[in-house]
Amino acid sequence: MDTNGTILDARNHTYSLEDIEAEERLEDFHSPEWRQQSRHFLVLSSAGKPIYSRYGSETQLSTLMSAIQAIISTFADMSDPVKSMMVGNHTVVFYTNGPLYLLAVSNSKDPDELLRGELQLLHSQIVSILTSAQLTKIFEQRGNFDLRQLLGGTEGIIDQLVDKMGIDFTFSLGSLDTLWMRYRLRDRIGKALLNSRTKGVLYAMLIADMKLVTLMRPRKHSLHPADLHLLFNMAASRTFATGEHWTPVCFPKFNDQGFLHVYLNYITPSVALILVSADRDSFLTMTECRQRITQDLSTDDTLLRLEDAASQRALRPYELGVSGLLQLYYRHKTLVQHFGTRFEESIDESQQRRIINTYKRLRLYMTKGGPNPLRIIYHRTATDTILAWQSSAFELYATVEPSMDVKSMIRLVNTVLEWIKNEEDHLFVINAPSY
C-alpha cells in the first residue's frame, strides 16, 4: 500500500480502498450492488454444489445454488424439464448438460434463445478447460465433488467471456471477427506460417484483440468458429500476455472428449501467435516453429507493419464512404467471417449496449428458420433507427441517425455494400494457407 491509500497487486494493477470495498459489496449476495447487476450467470453441479458465479462469492451463494438445484430436479422428476421462467421483470433461463446445471438471469429483455445460447457457450468454456470425459468421470466417482478445485486460476477467463457476451455481437453472429489489413500483408504473413510449419503443427494462427489475422490449417479439416472464440478468449487473458505458454485445450465442437495442446506467445505487443498440436510433448518443437516464423517476418518490415495494423482500432463509420452511419456489422456467410465498425463518438456506452442487444434480437428473428425466413427488418424507435438485412451471401446490421428516412437508409446501405465489395480482400481472410 502506498501513502495515498492505494494497493498495488502482483500484476501492478492499482486499486483504491474504495474499489476494494465496492468489490466486497458486489461479492455479498444480499447487497444492493449484487442485485442491481443486469445479468447474472451461475453454474452448479447436479448435486447443488456451487461452481461459478460472475458476481458474488460462490460460497455465499450456496443456499441459492441449492434452491436452483431443487427447482431443476423437481421439474426433471415430472419429466418436464424447466427451461425458463419470468420472475418480476427478470428472465430466468436454465440449461443442463450432464452433471452441470447453468442458469442465466437478465432484466435486459434478452430472449430465452439468446440466453440459452450464451449458457451453452459458457458450458463449452468449462469443457475447454476440463473436457466432457473428465467432467463425467469426476461426478460419476464423486457426485458431491467441488469442481472449483480444478477450475482454480481460470475464473478470469470465464469472467471475461461472460462480460464479452454482454457487449460483443461476435458470439451471436457465430463467425470470426477479422482484422482489416492490406491483402499483400496478410498473404505475406500466411506464407510465413506455411513455410515455417514443422511436423506436429496442426494449426497456426495470428490474432490481435480476438480478431483473426490469418490461419493455417489442414486442407480437409477446419476448426469450428465457436471453438476459436473460446481459444481467442483465452488468448486475450492477461495471464498469457507475457512469455511462452503451453497448455492443454479441449475444442468441444472438434472433440469434447480429449485435449489438443496449444502454444501461445505474443510476438508483438498486440499480436499473439497460436500453434496447435496433438502431441503434448512438442513444446520445444513449437518454440522452434515460433522462432522460424518471427525470423521470417523480421527479414523485412512485415512484423512492424503487422503490429501497426493490429494497434489500429476498428474502422470509423465515415471511413466506409457514407455520412449518417453510426455503426455497422457485416457477416460474410461463405467465409463465416465478419467485421464491425466502431460506434460514432456521440453514442455512449449505454446506447451501445442497447444497440448491440437489438442486433442480437433481430438476428434471432431472421435466422430462427421456417419456410419463409425474414430477409429485411426495419427497426425504428424514438432513439434508434436500425436495419437488419440478410441475403444468400451476407448479413448486415446498421444503425443510422434517428432522423434518416427509409429511402436514404437504403441508399446508404447500398453504398456500403459497394465499398465492402471493393475492400473484400482487405476485410477478410480470403485465401487462408493450407497444407
Side-chain angles (χ1 to χ4, degrees), residues 2-45:
D2 66 18
T3 56
N4 296 316
T6 61
I7 293 176
L8 194 67
D9 73 4
R11 294 175 296 182
N12 293 324
H13 297 148
T14 303
Y15 301 91
S16 68
L17 293 179
E18 289 81 4
D19 290 337
I20 295 172
E21 290 170 356
E23 183 67 23
E24 288 176 348
R25 290 194 298 272
L26 192 56
E27 292 292 300
D28 182 2
F29 169 42
H30 301 288
S31 71
E33 287 83 359
W34 191 91
R35 294 173 181 269
Q36 287 169 3
Q37 295 301 313
S38 61
R39 287 158 53 99
H40 286 276
F41 287 81
L42 308 173
V43 184
L44 60 150
S45 71

Side-chain angles (χ1 to χ4, degrees), residues 367-435:
T367 60
K368 63 181 180 181
N372 299 302
L374 295 172
R375 295 296 183 183
I376 297 178
I377 302 176
Y378 177 69
H379 173 87
R380 184 164 195 157
T381 66
T383 55
D384 303 320
T385 301
I386 297 174
L387 181 72
W389 181 8
Q390 72 165 332
S391 71
S392 59
F394 67 82
E395 294 175 32
L396 181 144
Y397 305 85
T399 302
V400 300
E401 293 284 359
S403 59
M404 186 176 292
D405 59 42
V406 175
K407 290 183 178 179
S408 298
M409 176 184 257
I410 295 298
R411 284 197 298 270
L412 179 149
V413 168
N414 284 329
T415 300
V416 168
L417 289 174
E418 188 64 29
W419 180 89
I420 292 171
K421 182 179 179 181
N422 294 331
E423 292 286 316
E424 191 173 74
D425 287 349
H426 311 311
L427 289 167
F428 303 112
V429 183
I430 302 293
N431 295 309
S434 61
Y435 63 93

Side-chain angles (χ1 to χ4, degrees), residues 176-234:
L176 298 178
D177 195 0
T178 50
L179 180 69
W180 186 96
M181 63 166 46
R182 291 297 175 186
Y183 172 81
R184 290 176 182 263
L185 176 58
R186 199 188 309 271
D187 187 59
R188 164 78 175 88
I189 295 167
K191 287 177 179 176
L193 295 184
L194 190 60
N195 294 337
S196 302
R197 177 180 175 269
T198 56
K199 184 179 180 181
V201 177
L202 297 177
Y203 300 89
M205 63 201 82
L206 288 170
I207 65 169
D209 189 27
M210 293 191 68
K211 297 178 186 293
L212 179 67
V213 175
T214 192
L215 183 152
M216 181 199 73
R217 62 177 180 83
R219 190 166 287 108
K220 296 183 179 181
H221 298 280
S222 60
L223 290 173
H224 194 282
D227 285 340
L228 290 173
H229 287 161
L230 300 176
L231 180 62
F232 293 0
N233 180 62
M234 183 192 80

Side-chain angles (χ1 to χ4, degrees), residues 315-348:
L315 294 167
R316 291 186 181 277
Y318 71 79
E319 293 182 89
L320 277 60
V322 293
S323 60
L325 179 66
L326 301 180
Q327 202 282 330
L328 176 136
Y329 273 97
Y330 177 93
R331 181 180 188 269
H332 194 302
K333 286 189 172 182
T334 302
L335 297 174
V336 200
Q337 299 172 22
H338 71 266
F339 85 95
T341 70
R342 288 186 242 179
F343 280 91
E344 276 296 338
E345 293 180 356
S346 60
I347 308 299
D348 63 29

Side-chain angles (χ1 to χ4, degrees), residues 291-359:
Q291 291 171 344
R292 293 176 63 179
I293 291 170
T294 54
Q295 286 171 5
D296 188 338
L297 297 177
S298 299
T299 56
D300 49 27
D301 63 349
T302 299
L303 207 56
L304 294 174
R305 293 170 62 201
L306 172 58
E307 170 60 20
D308 182 60
S311 62
Q312 300 298 318
R313 296 181 63 192
L315 294 167
R316 291 186 181 277
Y318 71 79
E319 293 182 89
L320 277 60
V322 293
S323 60
L325 179 66
L326 301 180
Q327 202 282 330
L328 176 136
Y329 273 97
Y330 177 93
R331 181 180 188 269
H332 194 302
K333 286 189 172 182
T334 302
L335 297 174
V336 200
Q337 299 172 22
H338 71 266
F339 85 95
T341 70
R342 288 186 242 179
F343 280 91
E344 276 296 338
E345 293 180 356
S346 60
I347 308 299
D348 63 29
E349 186 174 323
S350 64
Q351 290 173 300
Q352 292 178 22
R353 287 178 180 270
R354 184 182 67 242
I355 290 169
I356 292 297
N357 283 339
T358 301
Y359 286 171

